[in-house]
Amino acid sequence: PMVDLLEEFLRGWSPLERTVAAERLFAADPISIRLLADQIGADIGDIRNAQRSVEERLLQWLSSSGGEPVTRHLRELSEELGAATTIDTLIGAHPDHPVTVPSLKAPLWRVLITFFTDRRLHNGWLVADDPERMRWQTREMLGDAPTLDDAAVRLDRIGIRRRSLRAWLQSTPGIDIRDGRVLIDPSLPPEGPAPAPMFGGRSELSEEDGSTTAGGLPIRRRPGAAHEAGAPRPEA
């Protein structure tokens, strides 16, 4: 199982490296370096060095034979989930996904999100393309009131898989599903996507703005930081 594979890999890390990984890279609410230093009584420079070490270890492992099962799983997930999927769909895509990785205090699916360097979280959707453009394309492709089956075939071309089809359509402004057909309201301009249904009815994830660490791993901002005017980037 991938959880056991990750846990075995993490056993060779120092306690500080595991703490930085759990609190900085894989947490739903990543903590700042200064606050983490205060909490654990560590030097800020030591935490920065530990984070760089963690990033390099992860990247080397993912490109090695030891991490190949996880890398292969990421490729399979990319194809299966397409260009846009909800967190619920990601969680349900494999029985290991909701299982917690003990050293990281995070479920496997949250760890995998961080490993995706070509995707970001946007209003509850994990997307690999510009969601604004995808919404516009969706309305353009379905203007003749197709059936759901026809809509699934067409939208597969832009990466919307059948398992995410209904949620995608229902969260796209100006689209209604009635009597098995997809109807477009031309009076409503294609605006930004509405939030996807969150797992368990809770919105626990901060948005991913696509920024990455120096090594290429995504690192999430603290909630709201990406949208505060003039807000500084998280210390890395």
Side-chain angles (χ1 to χ4, degrees), residues 222-233:
R222 285 165 287 168
H227 306 290
E228 295 170 1
R233 294 174 62 87

Side-chain angles (χ1 to χ4, degrees), residues 178-223:
R178 193 181 310 156
D179 298 328
R181 290 190 173 274
V182 181
L183 306 179
I184 308 295
D185 183 352
S187 67
L188 291 177
E191 300 173 349
M198 297 304 289
F199 59 99
R202 293 170 291 133
S203 177
E204 295 185 356
L205 294 174
S206 56
E207 285 192 2
E208 173 67 75
D209 71 342
S211 60
T212 62
T213 64
L217 289 174
I219 183 166
R220 275 175 286 282
R221 295 178 183 271
R222 285 165 287 168

Side-chain angles (χ1 to χ4, degrees), residues 47-127:
I47 293 179
R48 287 198 176 102
N49 290 335
Q51 180 163 323
R52 281 192 290 269
S53 174
V54 164
E55 293 163 5
E56 292 305 317
R57 280 174 176 263
L58 287 169
L59 288 169
Q60 291 172 8
W61 182 70
L62 288 171
S63 61
S64 71
S65 58
E68 197 275 335
V70 175
T71 304
R72 182 176 65 249
H73 183 61
L74 289 171
R75 290 196 301 266
E76 294 169 350
L77 273 179
S78 293
E79 177 60 28
E80 178 182 352
L81 300 178
T85 191
T86 65
I87 299 303
D88 274 332
T89 302
L90 172 63
I91 293 173
H94 193 281
D96 279 2
H97 285 184
V99 180
T100 296
V101 180
S103 292
L104 300 178
K105 301 181 290 187
L108 179 63
W109 64 265
R110 198 188 300 278
V111 175
L112 295 177
I113 283 179
T114 303
F115 287 162
F116 277 123
T117 57
D118 62 339
R119 293 161 190 266
R120 65 190 178 98
L121 286 171
H122 184 91
N123 284 345
W125 290 87
L126 184 64
V127 295

